[in-house]
Amino acid sequence: MSDDILVSRLEGNKLVVEAGDEITEYDSKFLIAAVLVYVARGNGQIEPEESARMIDLIEDHFKMQGAETLELLTRAISELDEEPELVPLLCGLGPTLSDADKEDLALMGLKVVAADGKRHVAEMEQFSRAMEAIGVSPEIVHRAFDRYFAETMPGL
């Protein structure tokens, strides 16, 4: 993609970005991978445990195989690095997600934050910014927290 994004538009559930004569499409799979990468980078780097957790979460959610999942995450990492202006454009895909998908994404984000066993305020702030930017309501985030605690602290 060139430095100047000329046109971006939603076509159904895909974001189409035109830069010069290059056209790139992004879908909800890419959005979810990008959000997880964004959250994991909240403390400045992606820890090995976070990488492994993202791979597991994406494989489970989309029923993907290892190589395909790794390719999706690698693409999200490299495109977010190379094209930081892509981030606000990707937020436009938020409304294409159902409430159930948004809740699943919020739950996955929480699991990525917790993956390395450390509490990083910066990652939680990054999580909150991402949820707000893609239009995940506080009620949906609350349900994701409930699910997270039900899974990790049964009996409470």
Side-chain angles (χ1 to χ4, degrees):
M1 219 181 293
S2 71
D3 290 337
D4 299 316
I5 293 179
L6 301 177
V7 179
S8 68
R9 64 186 178 282
L10 282 177
E11 287 185 1
N13 61 353
K14 290 189 178 186
L15 173 69
V16 178
V17 178
E18 294 181 37
D21 55 357
E22 186 177 340
I23 298 173
T24 308
E25 292 185 354
Y26 301 94
D27 60 10
S28 61
K29 286 181 184 179
F30 185 87
L31 173 64
I32 288 172
V35 167
L36 296 180
V37 166
Y38 179 79
V39 169
R41 284 185 168 166
N43 69 334
Q45 63 185 359
I46 299 174
E47 301 295 334
E49 300 89 353
E50 292 167 334
S51 295
R53 191 66 168 142
M54 287 188 292
I55 290 168
D56 291 343
L57 291 166
I58 290 172
E59 283 179 354
D60 289 346
H61 186 74
F62 293 115
K63 309 297 183 235
M64 296 171 71
Q65 299 300 312
E68 186 181 14
T69 304
L70 192 55
E71 181 181 328
L72 176 62
L73 279 170
T74 301
R75 179 179 172 222
I77 290 167
S78 66
E79 290 197 28
L80 292 176
D81 283 347
E82 294 169 13
E83 305 291 341
E85 69 274 8
L86 183 60
V87 172
L89 298 175
L90 284 171
C91 292
L93 280 171
T96 68
L97 298 175
S98 69
D99 284 353
D101 286 338
K102 289 177 181 179
E103 186 177 327
D104 288 345
L105 174 56
L107 178 60
M108 288 188 274
L110 292 171
K111 289 178 178 181
V112 168
V113 168
D116 63 2
K118 299 174 187 159
R119 293 183 203 154
H120 294 286
V121 172
E123 286 180 350
M124 281 308 298
E125 289 172 347
Q126 202 84 321
F127 168 83
S128 294
R129 279 192 293 275
M131 295 301 106
E132 184 178 329
I134 61 174
V136 179
S137 72
E139 295 81 18
I140 291 173
V141 171
H142 182 77
R143 287 196 310 259
F145 269 102
D146 287 346
R147 285 175 59 194
Y148 176 78
F149 288 120
E151 287 179 20
T152 59
M153 303 170 89
L156 286 183

